[in-house]
Each structure stands twice: as C-alpha cells, then as structure tokens.
C-alpha cells in the first residue's frame, strides 16, 4: 500500500490521527478482536483478488476510536491498492468529488471518513460512481449546457461513519459490504495495551495491562491514550515501568475511576440526578454539562448505558439506582428540579 502525496481535498493519514499513528496495526494479524468483521473482510478481499477484480464498496460503522480508519488502511494494504483519503465535510462541492473520482486509477481504494457528513448534493454523484463507474457532469451553460457521462476506473469506496443512521438509504444500499464495529472486551483491550507498550518500549506489568483495559470504556484509542499518560508518570516516578501502583496513581491524576468514568461522565450523571433522575432530553443534559449533544451521545453515553447507569427511553434519559450507588448517593430519585433546566 502506498499513499499518494495529498493535495486539497485529499488528506494525509497522519492528519486523521490523534498522535497514535505509530500504534496503528500494520496488518490484519496485528488487528486485535472484531473477529467476525476481520474474517469477513479477509474473505471478500481474497475472493476479489482471486478474480482479479476490485473489492466491492465497504461501509464501516461504529463509535469513535474502534478501528474504522485502521481497517480502511488494512483493506487497501491487503488489496495491494493505493489508498486515497478524504472526508465527508471536506467535499463541499460536487466538483470536488468529481475531480477526485476521475483522478482515481484502477484498483484504488478511496477512503471517505465521516461519510454521513457529505452534503446531499455531492452525495448524489456518488450513486452512479459506485454503481456504474461513471459520473454525469454538466458542461457549458445556458442553451449549450449538456450532460456528459465520464467513465471511471474500477475502484473501491471505503466509507466510515460514526452515525450510520444518518446515512441516506440510497447511499447505504450501494455498499456491498456493511460492517459494524462494537466496543472491545477488556481482555482484547489488555492485549492491545500490551502490544502498544512493547511498541513504545515501556515496561508493563500484566495486571497493570488488565487494569488499564478495564478503564478504557471498550475503546482502543482510549486504552492507548491512557497508556501514554501512564508511561509519562512511570518515566518520572518508576524508571519507566508501568506497575499497578503507577496505574492507580496515574488514573487518579486523570480523574478516571475504577469503571473508567471521567469527570464528564460524573457531571452527566449528577445533572440527571439533579433533574429528578430524568427522564430528561439529551439537549437539556448537554446544556447542563456544557458539552455537545453529539459528543455525549457518541463518546459518553454508550459506556454509561453499558454499565447500566443510564437508560435511554422514548421519553428521554433516566438515571438508574446502580449509578446512584456508584456515585455514593441515596437510592431513589432526588427532588425534581427539572424546571430549572427547561427552556
Ligand atoms: N483492533 C485494534 N487493534 C489494535 N489497535 C487498535 C485496534 N483498533 C483501533 N486501534 C488503535 O486505536 C486507534 C484508533 O483507531 P482508529 O483511528 O482506526 O479509529 P476510528 O474508528 O477510525 O475512530 P474515529 O471514528 O474517531 O475516526 C488506532 O490508531 C490504533 O492505534
Ligand atoms: Mg477514523
């Protein structure tokens, strides 16, 4: 796999990274977990290669930090294809997309990150591109205006989205492969932490790896981020060795508790408690804690829901007794102050 020099609407992989580029798995063999997704992808890739064809279009969905971008790079690598990277919000005008599509060579993998954020008017050009390997462009203006069909080299579109539900039906239907990534169990995260520690060259006790994994909310990016901070603490206080004691010290410094809850999680739960335990709308909670609705829904809520601390009902979010016990509050809703938060 090679990466062409990015210009304009193309992006460098490093720019999509949050500094964990060196920790990114470089082959399917290094990619931990998501067994079914990986096995499926490898099967479709092997079959496509055997036939000498490009792979069908692939949609990867799932919360942030679970490995969508990583898988896109691995798909391109396994197909021996060039990877070209862009993202939905960057493709503002139809011309951007058309230029990008007509510039592709046979077999290229075009990765469109955050594909749900592509404007509808641009997206419509993708339909014919994906299905018929063609784009229709209008040339000239006024009475001379006419539509011309440009043919495209066979390519594979890999789309990534954190919000599959926001994808239009016509777009979604044009992906031959649709895979969902799910949060990782702690034992897989522990393996990721161990491998990352080896790559970073820092010592790590096995029980420390497990402790980090349990506080990573099911997300490899979080696990790697915690490890980097713990390595800092270890470098200063323990000759670079991440021991269980260093994990405790570091996570306390970061305000992360034994279930992986951060400050924002606690503020979210306390806000709900102040609203009589809910049900409360996401918007109301977002205002109360000063965070964006999207971030709460994608980054914080999944973990709180998995822990059984928050229920998502048709009437809104509700706090559970398990959350109250964890926060050291009395069981049962607090007096209803929700009026304070309603606009
Ligand atoms: N299965 C895995 N095995 C090992 N490391 C992983 C795995 N999945 C993700 N990672 C690590 O987590 C980091 C984040 O993964 P990645 O950037 O692919 O997530 P993403 O799903 O694209 O997130 P976003 O939605 O925020 O773009 C990677 O750089 C890599 O280091
Ligand atoms: Mg990504």
């Amino acid at each position: 796999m090679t990466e062409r020099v990015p210009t304009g609407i193309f992006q460098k992989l490093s720019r999509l990274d949050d500094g964990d580029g060196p920790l990114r798995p470089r082959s399917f063999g290094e990619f931990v977990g998501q067994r079914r997704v990986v096995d499926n992808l490898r099967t479709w890739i092997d079959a496509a290669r055997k036939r000498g064809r490009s792979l069908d279009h692939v949609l990867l969905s799932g919360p942030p930090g679970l490995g969508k971008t990583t898988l896109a790079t691995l798909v391109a690598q396994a197909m021996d294809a060039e990877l070209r990277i862009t993202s939905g919000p960057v493709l503002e005008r139809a011309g951007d997309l058309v230029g990008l599509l007509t510039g592709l060579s046979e077999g290229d993998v075009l990765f469109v990150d955050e594909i749900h954020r592509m404007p509808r008017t641009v997206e419509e050009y993708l339909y014919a591109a994906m299905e018929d390997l063609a784009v229709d462009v209008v040339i000239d203006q006024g009475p001379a205006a006419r539509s011309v069909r440009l043919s495209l080299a066979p390519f594979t579109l890999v789309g990534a989205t954190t919000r599959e539900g926001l994808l239009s039906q016509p777009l979604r239907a044009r992906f031959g492969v649709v895979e969902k990534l799910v949060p990782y169990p702690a034992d897989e995260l522990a393996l990721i932490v161990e491998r990352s520690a080896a790559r970073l060259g820092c010592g790590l006790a096995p029980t420390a790896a497990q402790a980090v994994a349990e506080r990573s909310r099911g997300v490899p990016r979080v696990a790697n981020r915690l490890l980097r901070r713990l390595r800092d603490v270890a470098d200063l206080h323990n000759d670079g060795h991440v021991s269980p004691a260093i994990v405790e010290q570091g996570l306390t410094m970061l305000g992360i508790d034994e279930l992986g809850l951060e400050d924002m999680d606690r503020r979210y739960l306390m806000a709900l408690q102040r609203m009589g335990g809910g049900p409360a709308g996401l918007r109301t909670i977002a205002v109360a804690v000063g965070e964006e609705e999207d971030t709460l829904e994608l980054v914080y809520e999944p973990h709180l829901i998995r822990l059984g601390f928050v229920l998502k009902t048709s009437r809104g979010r509700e706090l559970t007794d398990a959350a109250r016990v964890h926060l050291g509050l009395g069981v049962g809703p607090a007096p209803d102050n929700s009026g304070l938060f309603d606009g």
Side-chain angles (χ1 to χ4, degrees):
M1 177 192 72
T2 51
E3 252 185 88
R4 281 185 210 151
V5 179
T7 52
I9 44 181
F10 287 123
Q11 301 179 353
K12 267 198 189 120
L13 192 54
S14 56
R15 268 214 276 148
L16 298 177
D17 255 318
D18 40 13
D20 51 7
L23 300 182
R24 205 182 274 285
R26 284 168 290 202
S27 68
F28 277 119
E30 289 182 16
F31 193 88
V32 175
Q34 311 287 341
R35 224 37 291 149
R36 198 185 51 77
V37 174
V38 170
D39 288 349
N40 285 353
L41 284 174
R42 293 179 97 164
T43 305
W44 318 138
I45 288 168
D46 287 349
R49 290 197 63 139
K50 196 167 166 196
R51 265 185 250 123
R53 303 287 296 269
S54 48
L55 178 68
D56 211 344
H57 306 300
V58 179
L59 179 67
L60 301 170
S61 72
L66 295 195
K68 298 180 296 297
T69 299
T70 305
L71 280 178
T73 66
L74 297 180
V75 165
Q77 185 195 55
M79 287 300 294
D80 251 331
E82 293 222 33
L83 177 66
R84 314 215 61 185
I85 299 168
T86 188
S87 76
V90 177
L91 300 170
E92 283 174 7
R93 297 169 305 125
D96 296 337
L97 179 69
V98 171
L100 190 156
L101 289 169
T102 52
L104 294 176
S105 307
E106 181 164 354
D108 281 1
V109 170
L110 174 63
F111 176 53
V112 183
D113 209 359
E114 300 188 79
I115 194 164
H116 62 277
R117 292 180 59 194
M118 192 174 3
R120 265 314 126 86
T121 47
V122 177
E123 180 186 305
E124 281 164 12
Y125 283 83
L126 259 190
Y127 301 164
M130 293 171 79
E131 214 159 44
D132 309 322
L133 294 178
V135 276
D136 296 305
V137 291
V138 177
I139 55 171
D140 281 345
Q141 288 178 339
R146 58 200 189 283
S147 171
V148 175
R149 176 157 273 223
L150 304 175
S151 59
L152 304 173
F155 71 102
T156 298
L157 177 70
V158 178
T161 179
T162 47
R163 305 292 298 257
E164 195 184 343
L166 295 185
L167 233 59
S168 75
Q169 196 42 39
L171 180 58
R172 194 180 182 283
R174 282 168 173 78
F175 286 98
V177 177
V178 177
E179 295 289 353
K180 266 192 224 326
L181 303 191
V182 292
Y184 294 67
D187 56 335
E188 289 176 359
L189 287 171
L191 188 56
I192 291 173
V193 171
E194 277 167 17
R195 290 196 185 164
S196 296
R199 284 243 186 113
L200 293 172
C202 77
L204 177 77
T207 49
Q210 191 65 30
V212 175
E214 277 159 14
R215 271 118 138 189
S216 300
R217 328 167 59 100
V219 181
R221 180 181 289 137
V222 173
N224 282 336
R225 189 180 67 215
L226 295 185
L227 177 66
R228 283 178 189 279
R229 295 291 73 78
L230 294 171
R231 180 180 65 153
D232 289 344
V233 178
D235 275 347
L236 295 177
H237 299 292
N238 203 32
D239 280 341
H241 185 78
V242 179
S243 62
I246 290 291
V247 173
E248 292 315 312
Q249 184 184 345
L251 293 181
T252 303
M253 285 166 65
L254 294 168
I256 294 172
D257 74 15
E258 66 280 4
L259 295 178
L261 298 194
E262 305 169 12
D263 231 29
M264 182 53 75
D265 298 292
R266 286 185 288 271
R267 280 167 56 197
Y268 177 110
L269 297 174
M270 289 308 293
L272 254 185
Q273 170 74 1
R274 285 195 306 275
M275 295 172 203
L282 181 60
R283 181 135 49 101
T284 312
I285 302 169
V287 171
V289 300
E291 183 53 273
E292 293 199 10
E293 288 173 57
D294 242 25
T295 309
L296 289 184
E297 195 168 14
L298 288 173
V299 177
Y300 295 98
E301 287 192 335
H303 188 56
L304 294 172
I305 291 168
R306 253 197 331 278
L307 289 173
F309 285 2
V310 171
L311 298 176
K312 226 168 156 175
T313 70
S314 56
R315 295 189 304 147
R317 276 63 171 168
E318 290 178 36
L319 195 69
T320 66
D321 282 342
R324 293 192 181 93
V325 169
H326 183 72
L327 293 171
L329 303 168
V331 169
D336 188 348
N337 289 328
S338 56
L340 286 177
F341 295 94
D342 292 338

